[in-house]
Amino acid sequence: MNTQDRKSEEDYFCARSCRAAMDWLEQNINNKPLMLWIDMFDPHEPWDAPPRFQKMYRDEYPYERYLFGYGVRVEDIRMDEDLPVIKDLYAAEVTFSDYCIGRLLKRIEEMGLMEDTIIVFSTDHGTHLGEEGCVQKTPGLLNACVTHLPLIIRHPDKKFAGKRVDGLVSAIDFMPTFLELLGIDDYSKYMDGKNMWKLVTGEAEAIHNNVYTVFKNFGAIHNLEWHYFQNIRGDDRGKGPCLYDLKNDPGQAKNVIKEYPDVARDLRGKLEKYLGISIPPLKI
């Protein structure tokens, strides 16, 4: 209901957020040091990007305004008819978000802020687009679709440009990392996260052996070889328990828990210890 007054692309949430960010930077450019946090909401349901972005993926849509969002029951989605449209709408939303972010970065460059500013791009979670019949973020299928977050850091020092890091990091590592990059290191000892920048500089090969995710009644443990999830409370087992062999199945498509029950038991034990609660027993 809060989108009925849109008249142009500039009225969409993502465009408005980026424009507000540009305005704020222009007002505060002389007030350094500065810190700006931008939450664009997009790409988020209802996945209704401006028409020209939707047409990049599909010439014609079944309805004038094909809304997909909260309140839609997955069991009502026609996988053959609706899911391809939903995927195209999501792609359009991502493309529009990318376009808006690009305009913001261009303005940051024009203002000369690239020379002394750390820019970070990430998100809070992913989404399912039909995997095992799941659409939207589904706790009962706590796999990479939901748990694998993008993380891009643009540092003014160009020697880091284009570097990719394979080490495991978690969202809890964001705050201690960025504080230390800014020379603020007297708080990190009180935090659970670690400074991930050591992976970039080569000071450390790893900062975590495992990383963890909890979403509602489900929990996951992830390392460079395995991803395991199960319900951590209640009787609903969702799609779990699931164990994925990441070396042979990086897309996490095949549950190999029956082939590697000992691995599953070990990871379940680590998950329970990390959470500090009693979780349901492993049922294969």
Side-chain angles (χ1 to χ4, degrees):
M1 293 302 294
N2 61 350
T3 63
Q4 300 302 309
D5 58 349
R6 288 175 178 167
K7 295 181 176 61
S8 72
E9 289 179 8
E10 297 302 315
D11 296 325
Y12 283 71
F13 298 140
C14 185
R16 290 166 60 186
S17 297
C18 288
R19 187 172 65 252
M22 293 183 223
D23 292 343
W24 189 91
L25 288 171
E26 289 169 357
Q27 294 166 8
N28 290 277
I29 192 170
N30 295 320
N31 296 329
K32 296 180 181 179
L34 54 83
M35 186 271 187
L36 173 61
W37 177 289
I38 307 166
D39 185 346
M40 303 191 310
F41 192 72
D42 291 320
H44 198 286
E45 297 93 345
W47 299 338
D48 59 341
R52 71 181 177 106
F53 290 90
Q54 292 190 18
K55 289 181 180 179
M56 292 179 183
Y57 298 93
R58 181 179 291 259
D59 290 331
E60 298 291 337
Y61 286 84
Y63 306 102
E64 180 179 352
R65 193 178 185 197
Y66 199 113
L67 290 176
F68 173 81
Y70 291 122
V72 174
R73 299 190 310 170
V74 173
E75 55 266 30
D76 291 337
I77 296 173
R78 300 165 298 183
M79 289 299 173
D80 292 337
E81 299 176 48
D82 294 327
L83 189 59
V85 180
I86 290 170
K87 288 182 176 181
D88 289 343
L89 291 171
Y90 179 72
E93 194 81 23
V94 171
T95 303
F96 178 56
S97 300
D98 183 68
Y99 167 75
C100 294
I101 294 168
R103 292 199 305 176
L104 172 60
L105 292 175
K106 181 65 176 176
R107 186 69 191 112
I108 290 173
E109 185 177 21
E110 292 171 349
M111 296 173 70
L113 290 171
M114 285 290 190
E115 303 306 316
D116 60 359
T117 304
I118 296 169
I119 300 173
V120 182
F121 172 84
S122 190
T123 187
D124 54 347
H125 60 77
T127 194
H128 290 108
L129 289 170
E131 292 81 7
E132 295 193 39
C134 298
V135 183
Q136 297 178 287
K137 60 182 187 294
T138 308
L141 181 59
L142 201 55
N143 61 3
C145 297
V146 174
T147 64
H148 191 183
L149 307 184
L151 176 59
I152 302 172
I153 302 174
R154 196 274 182 188
H155 194 283
D157 191 336
K158 292 181 174 57
K159 71 181 179 183
F160 300 116
K163 186 164 187 177
R164 297 176 66 91
V165 176
D166 293 328
L168 295 171
V169 299
S170 172
I172 63 172
D173 301 318
F174 290 7
M175 188 171 181
T177 299
F178 304 139
L179 286 178
E180 292 203 28
L181 281 175
L182 297 173
I184 305 171
D185 58 6
D186 52 342
Y187 293 100
S188 59
K189 60 185 177 182
Y190 302 110
M191 300 179 186
D192 292 328
K194 299 180 180 180
N195 179 10
M196 73 176 87
W197 200 249
K198 293 180 179 180
L199 300 172
V200 179
T201 61
E203 296 175 67
E205 293 185 1
I207 59 172
H208 297 294
N209 293 322
N210 302 289
V211 290
Y212 301 84
T213 302
V214 172
F215 181 17
K216 293 188 176 180
N217 291 336
F218 292 83
I221 175 173
H222 180 96
N223 56 46
L224 295 178
E225 296 183 78
W226 305 97
H227 181 95
Y228 172 82
F229 78 85
Q230 71 160 82
N231 59 321
I232 59 172
R233 61 177 71 88
D235 297 325
D236 180 7
R237 295 169 60 184
K239 304 289 184 178
C242 272
L243 176 70
Y244 300 109
D245 178 357
L246 301 182
K247 289 188 174 181
N248 297 306
D249 178 27
Q252 301 183 17
K254 181 182 179 183
N255 184 5
V256 294
I257 195 166
K258 292 183 178 179
E259 291 91 326
Y260 300 97
D262 291 341
V263 174
R265 292 188 186 96
D266 177 64
L267 293 174
R268 180 211 168 275
K270 287 183 170 67
L271 177 62
E272 184 173 60
K273 182 178 179 180
Y274 177 82
L275 296 177
I277 61 173
S278 178
I279 66 178
L282 176 60
K283 296 180 180 179
I284 299 177

